[in-house]
Every structure is written in C-alpha cells, then in structure tokens.
C-alpha cells in the first residue's frame, strides 16, 4: 500500500515525497524575466477586470466565474515562467561512505517471512537476497553511489569484506554497541549514514540512549531495515523467571514465571521445573489472551544444597513458530546452614513452647530463646555457650547484631531500655535483619510501645486514642489468605497454591488481645483476619462490630523487614479440635515463616553479581559491601574477590572502593569457561570498630563469617545466552523507528527498501553537491492547466455562452 501511494505521488509530482522533504524551494528565472512578467501582470489584471465587466448574454455571476478560471490559468502559466525548482543537496557519487551493519545473531534464523505458497523464508534468507550476492539490486545501487563498508554484529561487531561473510550464529544482539562501533571506525571519512539490517531483537543490558545521543550529536543518520514479522501467528514464550537468588535448604520457593503467547489463548499446557535435568515440580498453566503477559506462580521445594540451576520449561506445541523461547533458567543458591534467631518472651506461655517444638528438629533453624520468668530472672534455651545472653537482653549493637532474626513476644516495653529499643529498630533498618512481632497481653499498644523507637518499625498502627485494656479486649479471628499471601512462600502450607488456600480456610479460629488501629501505607497483608460467625470481638464495655485485623502482615523498613503476627495462640492450628493429630500445617507455617524472616538478611560482608546466568566472555560486574561488627559501613578495607572457575582454577581479584557509595567495592571479570563460577569476597585488613564487640566483658573472637562473605555464584551457559535471542523475538518495529527518527534516518521494511540508496544520497551528509530540480514540468501542473481550460469551456457550454 505504501509503495502504491508513493508511486502515485511520484507520477503526479515528478519526484518522490522524500525529495520534497529534503529540498529547498526556489525560483530559477533571471531577474529580467521576472521584471517582464510583473509588467505583463500589471497590464493583464486590468484586461481581466475589463473582461469581467463586459455585458451581453452573461450574468455578473457568469463573468466572475469565467474571470476566476481564466485568471487561475494565467497565474499557473506565470508560475511556470518563474521556473520553480527544488535545490537539493545530494551526495557526490563515490566520494562518500556508507556503513552497512547486518544482524548476525541466531534470531535471524527464524522462518517467519511470508513467501507466498512456499514455506516461509528465514530472516537470514531475506537479508541474503537484499544485500548479498551479485544480483542484489540494493547492493548494486549502494555500490554505484557510495563506498560501502560492511559489518556484522551480535555479541561483538566485526568488519567484513562483504555481506556474504555473515553466518547468523551469534548468541546475542547488541544494537547500540554495533552502531557506535561502526560510527567510530568510519569517523575519519565522509559518512553519509549507517544502514542496519536487523529484526531489532536487542538484548543488551544497557539502554540505547547514550549511543543515539552520540549519533545525533555527530549528525550521523541511521537507516533501519526491519526484517521479520512484528507479530507471530503461533508462539508460546517464557519471557523471564523472577525468583529469590538465595534460599535456605528445605524452603519453599515461589517463582513467578512470566508467560506470553499468540494463537493458543485459553489452552492448558504443562509447566515443568527441572533441577539439573531432574523434574522437581510440574503444574498445568492456562495460557493468557493473545499478546498478554501473565505471571504464573510455581511452588518449588528446595531440598538439595548448593548452586542449583532451575529450568522452567513449556513443551513445544503443534504449529509453534519459535520453540527456542519455551524455557528459561534461574540460578538459586541453596544454603545448608543454621540461621540463628533470638526469641525473647516476657512471660511463660504455651505459644512459646509450641513454636520451639515446631522448629526443634529443623537442622537449618536455631531458635535461641530468652524467657523472662520473674523480675531480673531469665531462662535461656538453645544457646551456644554459657556466656551467651548471660546478662539478659543484649546491651550492645555488636551482641544483638550477631543474630539474623529476632522474635519479640509478649514483652512489655518497660522491660527494655530506650537504648535497647533503638537497637531493635537499628537491627531492622541498619543491620538489615528480620523482626517478628507476636501478639500477647504485653505486645504492641498494650505493651506500651506507642511513642517508642520501635513503633515506626511496626507494620501496624498502634497509636491514636487510648488503647483498651488488654484483659478486656478479645477477638476471635479467622485467617483468610489474601492475593499477596497466595504469592508468598511464608504462607504456602500445601504443595500447590489452591490446596494451600483450601487449608487456610479449614483451619480453626485463633484469638487476639491486641486492638490495632490499622496497617501502615507501605505494609502488605498476607493473612487477613475477620471475626467468624458467632465469634467474639469485645472492647471495654462494648461489642466491636465488623471488626477485622491483619493476622500476618509486613513492611520493609530500611534494609530489613518487620513482620507482625498479632495473634496469641497460633498453636490452635495444631491443637484445635478440628485439626488432625498428624496435620503438618502449624509446623510447616512456622518453619516457612522463620526461613522468610532470615531469607534476605546480609552478613557483614556481602558480594553480589550483576546477573546470575550469563554467556561466555561477557564481562560480569561484582559488588561487595563491607561493614564493621556494628554494621557501620567501612571505606578503609582491603577487599579481595576469590574466584573459583568450573575447572577448579582459582584467581584473586582486587576490589576497589566505589567513591560514590560508603562501604561498596567493585570489580569486573570476564569468564572463559562454561559452568558455575564461585565468588567469595574477603576482607584482609579491615579497620577495627570503634567499639569492639564484647561478650561477658571479653572481645568476641573473629569468625570466618566476619572476614568473608557467603559464596555467590554465576553460571556461564552459552545455551542460555543463545536462548535470550529468541525471547521477545518478534520484529521490534517501534525500536527501529525510534532509532531512525532520533538520528534523522528512516525506517524500511523489505517491501519499501528499494528507496534506501536514493534516501541516503539525500541525507545532506558527507560530500554533497546542490542539484536544481525543475518543478514547472510536473504532470500535476499540466493537468491543472488542462482542467482549468476544460472547466471554463464546459461552463460556457452549459450556460449557452459559446
């Protein structure tokens, strides 16, 4: 359609629309001719007026219409005598260079280009037809006008002798790097523009903005040719997988798999999760509508320690055009260690005993318990030695910050000093720890926490008017799973999301003695609580109607997380009359909850990588954060990253302090082996803290965890890198149009690309010459003149004036 319209325009106006867009309008007649034409006009105008005044059979209206038609014809002739023209700057043949960049990646092997009755052509075949071979019209036209330099690009950009040297076997597409590389290589020569033949499937990790700014600043137009279809007929694609990068052994992992499809809407297909080829989870997925991106939540049990490469896969379906995008990988580091959690309880109660019993046999959770039995008297459970917590609740940051999670039970705020309350707040915001607040007679507002440093940390509102006496407020609460709770591993008490929801509905009601004012704006409710039919909800002297409160909610606070569970007897989920003796819900819930509490808690030294799965020889950025024992960030450390390659070879990589961020150190390395790289950051000469940690008056011994980070892993997988080529592999016309628009070029498809050589010649770049292109002989002017004369004659005929 576009070609037809352009041909019609060129037929009537002599030149293509692009010529008019690039040219400057001018008149070419000499001054003497213009003077004579003006003089003639001065004589002709009175003649026309006299003609209009002539009487006879004509009316005044007839004379004005005929005068207008005759005047328009004369003006059109005068316009032609002025010799209108376009002044057009065009490239001088064989004096300018053009860079032709050909996408050499594997996505060009997709066969989605219509070839009539024959099988669809691959994108690579279309490129070969357009620019490769001696019979290529585009290649010949470019060669006649310009000095052409060819490049191929995928992961890297390389100069080639001709378009015949492409292999279409690259494992990634870096479009921005390619155009910048070609611009730099041709910077010293007169450059008319860059031509890019690609499907636009750019999968570089950096945006194109900087490269486009550079091209625009240097006035280098980019002409993009989009190869392939912008919408597939039939395709199922796993766009990406979002999941935690670390987990504790035995945890339930919730993975969000983003699925998009065309042509299979509403169908059910199996989604399989594999761990090193072994199927560990499977569930049926109902595919969304065409083009929609839908998250699918998958529950995965992680029972094997180490760096686990999980593959999420949907089997290829009948008629699917691209099958390479049906799988994605995620690297999850499963740690087999004991997470140390401090549980502080202000009074003897059954809840504590049931919680300790639920996690007692879990080898990955150490629940150190400090229970107040009388004034200034505490009982300790599961401590490492006789000195731990010998003085009661920790009195220094260093002692408190050794724990990765804290559970605060029914502990009155008056039992803690203001400094200890501030340390608890700092444990969450500065140390990045997890704080779990349980319900009870001396918890939340009833415990006097309103106005304390811990109140802002809580995800629930406890301030406002006077809080009712905890002994007279009591509510029966039935837990209901919220949509956010359905997506959380903490509330996953059954193998599937549906079964977990059913299980929560079947659990008995529990009770709360904490009157809450609401939740904070940034909090998320996982379990909501409502009063069941016939249940109690009584405040002092009155019945609270329509009362509801969160059963489990959380908020991010600083670097850590604060969780509220304002229930005093969750053990009812174990001991309720309607609960079977062997029901594992209570145990599963508490184990999952405590794993979640400590899941993202950092050590003093942490190291992370830019990505967990990458391709061979792709640079990997490492970031390490270093703090002292009080978790004050340090900038004076000597940090070394110890790398262990898949073959077992080791190397040390010094890390430099990032001046713009306290306590952050950076380094980059390029892997050269396939497999898992292990990275450990170690601090060799970290400065001592101004207040060294002490236990019972003696400095605490340094441990391996104090000097080195937990290992992190990067998986180098060329196959995974190659599969990225087929994610979102439809031709991205919007991206290519943006590139051409922002650089002053133009976007083409194979059906419109024939105009490319002439458009480059008109780009006004490089060595140019000004051409005068006459407009007086345009067919449209002749047709207008004939039309005016014929219209005048027809009007005279119709009015009987001839």
């Amino acid at each position: 359609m576009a070609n037809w319209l352009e041909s019609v325009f060129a037929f009537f106006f002599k030149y293509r629309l692009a010529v008019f867009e690039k040219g400057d309008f001018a008149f070419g007649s000499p001054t003497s001719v213009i003077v004579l034409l003006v003089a003639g006009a001065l004589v002709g105008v009175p003649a026309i007026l006299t003609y209009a005044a002539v009487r006879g059979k004509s009316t005044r209206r007839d004379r004005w219409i005929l005068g207008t038609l005759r005047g328009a014809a004369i003006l059109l002739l005068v316009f032609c005598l002025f010799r209108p023209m376009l002044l057009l700057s065009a490239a001088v043949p064989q004096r300018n260079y053009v860079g032709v960049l050909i996408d050499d990646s594997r996505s060009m092997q997709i066969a989605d280009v219509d070839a009539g009755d024959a099988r669809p052509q691959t994108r690579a075949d279309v490129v070969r037809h357009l620019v490769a071979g001696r019979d290529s019209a585009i290649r010949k036209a470019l060669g006649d006008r310009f000095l052409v330099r060819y490049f191929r690009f995928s992961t890297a950009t390389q100069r080639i002798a001709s378009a015949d040297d492409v292999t279409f076997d690259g494992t990634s597409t870096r479009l921005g790097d390619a155009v910048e590389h070609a611009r730099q290589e041709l910077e010293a020569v007169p450059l008319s523009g860059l031509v890019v033949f690609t499907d636009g499937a750019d999968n570089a990790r950096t945006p194109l903005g900087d490269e486009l700014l550079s091209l625009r600043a240097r006035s280098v137009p980019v002409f993009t040719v989009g190869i392939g279809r912008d919408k597939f007929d039939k395709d199922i694609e796993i766009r990406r997988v979002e999941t935690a990068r670390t987990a504790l052994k035995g945890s339930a992992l919730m993975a969000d798999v983003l699925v998009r499809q065309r042509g299979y809407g509403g169908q059910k297909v199996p989604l399989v999760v594999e761990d090193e080829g072994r199927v560990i989870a499977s569930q049926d997925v109902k595919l969304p509508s065409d083009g929609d991106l839908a998250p699918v939540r998958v529950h995965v049990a992680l029972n094997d320690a180490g760096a686990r490469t999980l593959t999420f896969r949907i089997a290829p379906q009948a008629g699917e055009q691209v099958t390479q995008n049906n799988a994605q990988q995620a690297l999850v580091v499963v740690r087999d260690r004991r997470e140390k959690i401090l549980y502080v309880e202000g009074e003897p109660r059954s809840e504590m005993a049931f919680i300790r019993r639920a996690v007692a046999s879990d080898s990955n959770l150490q629940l150190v318990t400090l229970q107040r039995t009388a004034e200034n008297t505490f009982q300790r459970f599961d401590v490492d030695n006789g000195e731990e917590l010998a003085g009661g609740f920790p009195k220094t940051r260093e002692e408190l910050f050794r724990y990765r999670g804290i559970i605060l039970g029914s502990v009155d705020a008056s039992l803690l000093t203001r400094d200890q309350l501030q340390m608890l707040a700092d444990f969450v915001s500065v140390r990045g720890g997890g704080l779990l607040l349980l319900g009870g007679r001396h918890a939340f507002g009833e415990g006097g926490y309103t106005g304390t440093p811990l109140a802002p940390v809580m995800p629930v509102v406890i301030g406002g008017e006077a809080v009712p006496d905890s002994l007279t407020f009591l509510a029966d609460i039935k837990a209901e799973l919220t949509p956010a709770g359905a997506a959380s591993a903490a509330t996953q008490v059954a193998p599937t999301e549906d079964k977990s929801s059913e299980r929560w509905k079947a659990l008995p009601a529990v009770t709360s003695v904490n009157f809450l004012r609401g939740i904070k704006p940034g909090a998320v409710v996982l379990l909501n609580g409502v009063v069941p039919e016939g249940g109690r909800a009584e405040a002092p002297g009155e019945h609270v109607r329509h009362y509801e409160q969160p059963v489990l909610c959380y908020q991010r606070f600083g670097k850590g997380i604060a969780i509220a569970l304002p229930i005093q007897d969750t053990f009812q989920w174990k001991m309720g009359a309607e609960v079977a003796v062997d029901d594992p819900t209570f145990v599963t819930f508490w184990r999952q909850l405590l794993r979640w509490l400590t899941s993202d808690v950092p050590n003093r030294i942490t190291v992370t990588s830019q990505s967990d799965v990458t391709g061979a020889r792709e640079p990997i950025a490492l970031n390490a954060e270093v703090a002292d024992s009080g978790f004050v960030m340090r900038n004076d450390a000597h940090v070394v990253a110890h790398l262990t390659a898949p073959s077992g070879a080791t190397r040390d990589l010094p890390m430099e302090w990032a001046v713009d961020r306290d306590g952050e150190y950076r380094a980059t390395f390029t892997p050269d082996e396939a497999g898992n790289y292990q990275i450990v950051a170690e601090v060799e000469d970290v400065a001592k803290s101004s207040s060294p940690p002490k236990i019972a008056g003696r400095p605490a011994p340094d441990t391996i965890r104090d000097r080195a980070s937990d290992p992190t892993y990067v998986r180098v997988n060329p196959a995974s890198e190659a599969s990225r080529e087929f994610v979102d592999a439809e031709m991205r016309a919007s991206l290519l149009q943006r590139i051409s628009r922002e650089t002053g070029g133009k976007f083409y498809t194979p059906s419109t690309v024939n105009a490319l050589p002439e458009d480059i010649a008109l780009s006004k770049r490089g060595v140019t010459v000004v051409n005068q292109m006459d407009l007086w002989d345009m067919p449209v002017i002749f047709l207008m003149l004939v039309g005016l004369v014929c219209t005048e004659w027809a009007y005279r005929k119709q009015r009987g004036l001839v």
Side-chain angles (χ1 to χ4, degrees):
M1 183 66 177
N3 280 344
W4 181 81
L5 290 175
E6 189 163 322
S7 299
V8 171
F9 185 91
F11 172 79
F12 283 107
F13 292 91
K14 189 178 177 182
Y15 307 111
R16 295 169 49 243
L17 178 61
V19 174
F20 287 87
E21 292 174 343
K22 298 291 185 180
D24 297 318
F25 183 80
F27 289 105
S29 294
T31 306
S32 58
V33 174
I34 295 176
V35 171
L36 290 175
L37 290 174
V38 172
L42 293 175
V43 174
V45 169
I48 293 175
L49 294 176
T50 302
Y51 172 80
V54 173
R55 298 292 185 267
K57 296 172 59 177
S58 63
T59 65
R60 181 179 178 86
R61 177 172 173 270
D62 292 336
R63 290 192 295 273
W64 276 108
I65 291 176
L66 293 172
T68 300
L69 291 172
R70 180 64 58 87
I74 293 173
L75 287 175
L76 194 57
L77 289 172
V78 171
F79 175 77
C80 293
L81 292 175
F82 272 89
R83 196 188 166 198
M85 64 177 58
L86 288 175
L87 300 180
L88 194 64
S89 295
V92 178
Q94 299 302 313
R95 293 284 301 277
N96 297 283
Y97 287 76
V98 166
V100 176
L101 293 83
I102 301 175
D103 189 342
D104 197 31
S105 63
R106 294 183 182 180
S107 63
M108 299 296 286
Q109 298 178 12
I110 296 174
D112 66 338
V113 181
D114 190 12
D117 296 334
R119 293 178 56 186
Q121 286 184 304
T122 66
R123 299 170 180 180
D125 289 338
V126 173
V127 172
R128 290 190 184 101
H129 173 73
L130 290 177
V131 291
R134 298 184 180 276
D135 297 332
S136 167
I138 299 298
R139 179 174 181 172
K140 185 177 184 305
L142 287 174
D144 290 342
R145 295 170 181 258
F146 305 100
L147 301 170
V148 184
R149 297 294 179 263
Y150 290 94
F151 301 84
R152 64 181 181 188
F153 68 94
S154 55
T155 305
T157 305
Q158 182 183 3
R159 174 81 176 275
I160 55 178
S162 72
D164 300 316
D165 295 337
V166 290
T167 60
F168 304 104
D169 199 35
T171 56
S172 66
T173 302
R174 298 181 181 179
L175 193 51
D177 292 346
V179 293
E180 180 63 15
H181 177 96
R183 183 200 65 77
Q184 291 180 4
E185 185 160 329
L186 299 175
E187 192 169 25
V189 299
L191 182 62
S192 290
L194 299 175
V195 182
V196 184
F197 290 87
T198 178
D199 54 17
D202 180 65
N203 47 40
R205 302 183 188 278
T206 55
L208 284 170
D210 291 343
E211 288 81 3
L212 295 183
L213 284 174
S214 175
L215 291 164
R216 188 163 52 190
R218 293 168 174 81
S219 299
V220 178
V222 179
F223 300 85
T224 54
V225 183
I227 310 297
R229 301 185 60 177
D230 56 1
K231 288 184 180 180
F232 291 137
D233 291 329
K234 286 193 170 185
D235 181 53
I236 298 175
E237 170 184 87
I238 297 181
R239 176 67 65 87
R240 65 178 182 272
V241 176
E242 297 178 351
T243 185
R245 295 184 66 174
T246 62
L248 198 61
K249 182 181 176 181
S251 298
L253 183 73
M254 295 295 288
D256 280 335
V257 183
L258 301 182
V259 178
R260 192 181 72 163
Q261 69 80 36
R262 291 192 188 277
Y264 300 96
Q267 296 186 24
K268 283 191 175 182
V269 295
L271 173 63
V272 175
V273 185
E274 302 174 357
D275 180 2
E276 305 293 347
R278 177 170 53 92
V279 176
I280 59 174
S282 177
Q283 74 178 57
D284 288 338
V285 173
K286 185 177 180 180
L287 296 175
S289 302
D290 282 5
D292 289 347
L293 192 64
V296 178
R297 295 188 180 95
V298 183
H299 171 267
V300 181
L302 301 174
N303 298 317
D304 297 323
R308 317 307 304 177
T309 302
L310 305 182
T311 302
F312 299 78
R313 189 189 312 277
I314 294 176
Q317 303 299 302
E320 194 171 356
Q321 290 176 277
V322 182
T323 60
Q324 296 92 331
N325 57 6
N326 288 38
Q328 287 289 338
Q329 289 187 335
L331 182 66
V332 180
V333 180
V334 182
R335 307 197 188 281
D336 186 11
R337 67 182 184 197
R338 294 193 81 189
E339 298 286 21
K340 198 171 185 179
I341 302 170
L342 174 60
Y343 179 10
V344 184
E345 188 57 78
E347 58 184 352
R349 58 176 186 159
S350 301
E351 182 77 344
M352 184 197 78
F354 276 94
I355 293 172
R356 293 189 66 249
R357 197 176 304 158
V359 301
S361 60
D362 193 326
S363 60
N364 296 112
L365 295 172
Q366 180 184 357
L367 193 61
V368 178
T369 307
L370 182 68
Q371 181 189 42
R372 181 176 180 268
T373 55
E375 186 174 354
N376 296 326
T377 303
F378 297 90
Q379 190 172 3
R380 298 174 296 158
F381 301 92
D382 205 16
V383 293
D384 289 335
N385 53 59
E387 297 176 341
E388 186 174 4
L389 301 176
F393 189 86
K395 297 178 176 59
T396 65
R397 290 164 61 99
E398 288 78 4
E399 186 180 358
L400 182 66
F401 287 7
R402 279 200 179 89
Y403 300 98
R404 297 177 64 80
I406 295 175
I407 304 175
L408 196 63
S410 184
V411 181
D412 200 283
S414 62
L415 299 178
L416 302 173
T417 67
R418 190 167 185 84
D419 287 344
Q420 288 173 320
L421 290 169
Q422 185 61 57
M423 284 195 312
L424 278 171
D426 291 344
F427 177 84
V428 180
S429 63
V430 178
R431 191 254 186 273
L435 175 64
L436 174 60
L437 302 145
L438 303 183
R441 295 186 307 150
H442 302 290
F444 297 101
E446 291 77 3
Y449 285 93
T450 304
T452 68
L454 203 57
V457 181
M458 297 181 181
V460 293
V461 180
I462 61 173
E465 301 175 1
V467 179
D469 188 334
S470 62
L471 294 176
T472 58
F473 174 77
L474 181 67
D476 293 323
I477 299 294
K478 178 74 172 177
E480 294 181 347
L481 198 63
T482 66
S488 173
T491 52
Q492 192 76 19
V493 295
T496 66
E497 189 175 315
D498 291 339
K499 290 182 179 179
S500 183
S501 179
E502 293 172 3
R503 191 70 201 108
W504 281 110
K505 292 177 182 178
L507 290 176
V510 289
T511 60
S512 174
V513 294
N514 301 110
F515 191 87
L516 304 178
R517 303 291 177 182
I519 65 168
K520 293 182 178 175
V524 178
V525 178
L526 303 181
L527 291 172
N528 196 33
V530 296
V531 177
E533 185 176 352
R536 300 163 292 177
E538 299 176 352
E542 64 175 329
H543 180 75
V544 181
R545 302 180 65 183
H546 307 298
Y547 179 75
E548 66 177 65
Q549 72 169 48
V551 172
L552 183 66
C553 64
Y554 75 95
Q555 74 169 359
R556 292 286 173 183
F557 190 82
K559 293 183 177 180
I561 187 173
I563 306 170
L565 181 61
I567 303 298
Q568 67 169 351
D569 54 355
T570 62
F571 62 84
Q572 292 294 338
W573 296 335
K574 175 68 176 176
M575 300 300 294
E578 56 267 62
V579 180
V581 175
D582 58 349
D583 190 296
T585 302
F586 177 78
V587 173
T588 301
F589 169 71
W590 272 101
R591 291 186 178 185
Q592 293 293 83
L593 181 61
L594 297 187
R595 278 172 160 77
W596 178 44
L597 181 70
T598 60
S599 60
D600 296 322
V601 178
N603 295 328
R604 277 182 52 201
I605 304 166
T606 61
V607 62
T608 57
S609 62
Q610 183 181 15
S611 61
D612 53 357
V613 179
T614 187
R617 301 191 179 281
E618 184 171 340
I620 297 172
L622 301 177
N623 281 6
E625 289 190 351
V626 178
D628 65 10
S629 56
F631 277 79
V632 176
M633 306 308 291
R634 305 305 301 257
N635 300 329
D636 56 354
H638 178 62
V639 185
V640 176
H642 303 297
L643 308 180
T644 303
S647 63
T650 61
R651 58 178 287 204
D652 291 342
L653 186 66
M655 304 190 74
E656 300 294 333
W657 172 47
V659 181
D660 57 332
R661 295 197 60 182
D662 287 335
E664 184 172 310
Y665 298 79
R666 299 170 183 167
T668 302
F669 80 100
T670 302
D672 52 9
E673 298 181 25
N676 290 340
Y677 276 78
Q678 177 184 279
I679 303 107
V680 176
E682 183 177 6
V683 176
E684 297 183 348
D685 296 315
V686 68
K688 297 297 182 181
S689 170
S690 57
S691 55
K694 295 182 178 181
I695 298 180
R698 298 199 308 271
D702 195 15
T703 64
I704 293 298
R705 184 175 290 185
D706 288 328
R707 293 185 292 105
S709 69
D710 285 334
T712 191
Y713 294 85
V714 174
R715 182 170 182 80
V716 179
N717 186 353
S720 176
E721 181 187 31
S723 70
R724 292 207 311 261
E725 268 295 295
F726 300 94
V727 175
D728 196 13
E730 293 169 328
M731 191 266 286
R732 301 183 200 174
S734 59
L735 174 63
L736 299 179
Q737 288 168 352
R738 176 197 167 198
I739 293 172
S740 59
R741 181 178 61 252
E742 293 190 13
T743 60
K746 192 174 179 181
F747 170 73
Y748 305 87
T749 61
S751 62
T752 62
V753 75
N754 288 334
L756 171 66
E758 184 178 353
D759 288 344
I760 299 175
L762 301 178
S763 66
K764 300 182 181 180
R765 303 295 188 268
V767 180
T768 61
V769 63
V770 178
N771 294 327
Q772 297 179 355
M773 308 184 74
D774 288 330
L775 299 178
W776 65 268
D777 56 347
M778 290 189 300
V780 70
I781 293 180
F782 174 76
L783 293 174
M784 289 173 63
L785 187 60
V786 172
L788 289 170
V789 174
C790 291
T791 302
E792 180 185 355
W793 181 86
Y795 186 81
R796 286 177 177 276
K797 182 75 173 175
Q798 192 265 338
R799 298 288 295 171
L801 301 177
V802 293

